[in-house]
């Protein structure tokens, strides 16, 4: 078999066989296919798409390229959640604690942020001492004993994805539906969960800019999961404006804990309860989402979810006192208000650009090797549709540099005050 023939077939719109896909993935992992031929096939897939059968085979071959986590020792139906990534998206943190508090084991393998989107692992590391690089053995032990763990990928999960993702990043082939779907699902299947709820973001701050694109990705993810016997539901949610009020690592931990104390912002609470309800139904602890939602609300009012979160921090070596004392996490030297230029209502707050503003402050990475400043970020006071007076603060910028003119200019160009706002729904669609 020759790689050139595989590229030629896909370039001309043909359907690759399982043997051809296996040859490709083996060559990626064994380094027998040069980067220029891998990249050429990625570009051909980008333009020609893949059939459902090709997507499933690609996912399975990528999954089989590395280790698989064995969670069989953990009793019960294990349920995980994945988000395609957003700005201010700290949902995984309160969600894992709430779902664990109703008795469902949550083995969450999360990622780091790159570009304008944040990563759950980076947020957790704002908590002094907390470890996210944990051995598989300790991961299984913690999920069994505490009911939840949020960690980085153990061992060598889907090495083919690592190589392919790095090439997609530099060949402008990241936003390809079959490549995103196989990348996400190969890692999720390898992570050993029984069931998965996927938050597919759509809007300015998401990979999928339109609802139609998001629905197509959601369908592909759910189909791949279900084809291997994983219970899978996707919820399409809005990412035109940041989620919640806080963006930045320490700030997002604070907001996640606020939610667990019953003091979270309404949009974050709604998305968390909705995703969580589907997790509780998949975990067979409730017959329907309405009952599941009540159970999750009860974990907040009783304090059970907050205690789960505290216990998880302690189990992963972090300082659990942060739950009661936010000053134990790093905070920025300057708090700079960003006033509204005129009176009206907020009509635009581009999520991706607000995320880039936080990244420029040091809260995110431009390159994978960048060091993060956990203290910095943005506290949004006014969201889409909110009335505002000229001079009133739209947001507070938390910075460790006094001169933030670049960040201020970026925000000024991407936040608009007008007369009528079109406030997008928080939740668009559920795909089962
Ligand atoms: N997340 C992933 O893991 N892979 C992608 O391709 C996109 C988002």
């Amino acid at each position: 078999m020759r790689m050139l023939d595989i590229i030629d077939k896909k370039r001309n719109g043909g359907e690759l066989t399982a043997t051809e896909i296996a040859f490709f993935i083996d060559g990626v992992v064994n380094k027998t296919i040069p980067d220029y031929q891998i990249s050429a096939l990625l570009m051909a897939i980008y333009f020609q798409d893949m059939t459902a059968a090709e997507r499933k085979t690609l996912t399975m071959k990528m999954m089989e390229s590395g280790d698989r986590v064995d969670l069989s020792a953990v009793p019960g139906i294990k349920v995980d959640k994945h988000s395609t990534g957003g700005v201010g998206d700290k949902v995984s943190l309160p969600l894992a604690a709430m779902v664990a508090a109703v008795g469902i084991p949550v083995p969450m393998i999360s990622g780091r942020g790159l570009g304008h989107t944040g990563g759950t692992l980076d947020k957790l590391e704002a908590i002094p001492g907390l470890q996210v690089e944990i051995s598989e053995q300790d991961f299984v032990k913690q999920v069994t004993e505490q009911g939840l763990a949020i960690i980085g990928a153990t061992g060598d999960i889907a090495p083919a994805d690592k190589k392919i993702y790095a090439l997609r990043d530099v060949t402008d082939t990241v936003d390809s539906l079959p490549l995103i779907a196989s990348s996400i699902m190969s890692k999720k299947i390898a992570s050993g969960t029984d069931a998965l709820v996927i938050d597919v973001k759509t809007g300015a701050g998401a990979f999928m800019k339109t609802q139609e694109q998001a629905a197509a990705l959601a369908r592909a993810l759910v189909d791949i999961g279900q084809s291997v016997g994983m219970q899978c539901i996707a919820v399409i949610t809005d990412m035109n404006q940041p989620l919640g009020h806080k963006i930045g690592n320490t700030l997002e931990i604070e907001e996640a804990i606020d939610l667990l104390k019953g003091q979270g912002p309404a949009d974050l609470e709604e998305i968390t309860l909705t995703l969580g309800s589907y997790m509780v139904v998949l975990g067979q602890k409730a017959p329907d989402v309405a009952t599941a939602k009540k159970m999750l609300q009860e974990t907040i009012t009783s304090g059970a979810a907050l205690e789960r979160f505290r216990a998880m921090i302690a189990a992963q070596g972090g300082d659990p006192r942060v739950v009661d004392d936010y000053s134990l996490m790093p905070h920025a030297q300057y708090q700079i208000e960003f006033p509204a230029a005129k009176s009206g209502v907020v009509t635009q707050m581009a999520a991706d650009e607000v995320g880039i503003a936080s990244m420029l402050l040091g809260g995110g990475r431009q390159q994978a090797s960048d060091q993060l400043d956990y203290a910095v970020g943005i506290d949004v006071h006014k969201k889409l549709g909110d009335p505002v007076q000229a001079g009133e603060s739209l947001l507070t910028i938390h910075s460790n540099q006094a001169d933030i003119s670049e960040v201020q200019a970026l925000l000024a160009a991407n936040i608009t005050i007008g007369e009528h706002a079109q406030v997008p729904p928080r939740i668009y669609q559920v795909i089962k």
Side-chain angles (χ1 to χ4, degrees), residues 376-430:
V376 301
I378 295 172
D379 189 352
V380 177
H381 308 308
K382 303 284 178 186
K383 304 217 16 178
L384 289 182
D386 285 349
V388 60
Q389 297 297 316
E392 200 180 350
S393 178
L394 287 171
L395 45 90
T396 305
I397 301 167
H398 294 244
S399 173
N400 276 324
Q401 313 145 45
D403 178 6
I404 52 162
S405 45
E406 189 186 357
V407 170
Q408 286 160 319
L410 183 65
L411 291 170
N414 287 285
I415 300 175
T416 316
I417 313 281
E419 287 180 11
H420 305 288
Q422 279 204 324
V423 182
R426 292 173 184 151
I427 296 169
Y428 293 93
Q429 205 179 340
V430 177

Side-chain angles (χ1 to χ4, degrees), residues 158-200:
D161 177 63
K162 284 197 190 84
K163 174 74 187 173
I164 290 173
Y165 196 92
L167 287 174
R168 284 167 62 202
D169 209 22
V170 292
T171 55
D172 203 20
T173 49
V174 168
D175 56 342
S176 149
L177 191 151
L179 297 179
I180 295 175
S182 56
S183 166
I184 292 175
M185 293 308 289
S186 60
K187 288 175 288 199
K188 284 293 154 189
I189 297 168
S191 78
T193 189
D194 300 314
L196 178 67
V197 173
I198 310 162
D199 182 1
V200 178

Side-chain angles (χ1 to χ4, degrees), residues 277 280-293 295 432:
S277 302
V280 172
V281 170
L282 290 181
Q284 296 182 12
K285 292 284 181 191
D288 53 64
V289 285
T291 312
K293 200 171 271 188
M295 289 165 74
K432 296 183 187 180

Side-chain angles (χ1 to χ4, degrees), residues 70-88:
D70 181 5
L71 291 174
S72 57
V74 181
I77 302 172
K78 279 76 69 182
V79 189
D80 192 3
K81 168 258 180 187
H82 180 83
S83 164
T84 56
V87 176

